[in-house]
Amino acid sequence: MLYDKIEEVLRTVYDPEIPVNIMDLGLVYELQADDNGKVKIIMTLTAPGCPVAGDIVAEVQQKTEAIEGVTDVYVHLTFSPPWNREMMTEEAKLELGFL
């Protein structure tokens, strides 16, 4: 299924300052994929002033576009609601020592 492939690829994208992928960090707020291969990703960053913001968004765009069956990718960056540690998976919190 296309959604699963996209989620798998997004688990290979990391915030360079935190050794956890963007899915487990809770940075992906919304992921949609329709039957025509159109993908919409709404995501955030750990901080609005993140110096690698463009790099992370570009990596999400490029890796998603490379998936077979994907015809169009729209990545929207938002800071509402602001990211916080509670959005991370339990695994991410354990890995970073927050539990």
Side-chain angles (χ1 to χ4, degrees), residues 36-90:
N36 298 320
K38 293 184 187 281
V39 177
K40 179 180 176 185
I41 300 168
I42 298 177
M43 62 176 291
T44 193
L45 301 169
T46 54
C50 182
V52 293
D55 296 340
I56 294 172
V57 172
E59 186 176 355
V60 166
Q61 182 88 28
Q62 291 164 356
K63 287 186 172 183
T64 305
E65 286 174 344
I67 297 170
E68 187 178 336
V70 170
T71 59
D72 189 33
V73 179
Y74 172 71
V75 180
H76 178 73
L77 191 60
T78 184
F79 293 101
S80 179
W83 178 84
N84 65 64
R85 291 180 181 176
E86 295 307 309
M87 295 174 173
M88 293 190 292
T89 62
E90 294 297 314

Side-chain angles (χ1 to χ4, degrees), residues 6-27:
I6 297 165
E7 190 174 313
E8 186 179 321
V9 162
L10 294 180
R11 290 187 185 280
T12 70
V13 178
Y14 288 79
D15 181 318
E17 297 174 347
I18 305 172
V20 176
N21 70 69
I22 63 171
M23 292 298 291
D24 288 342
L25 278 175
L27 297 181

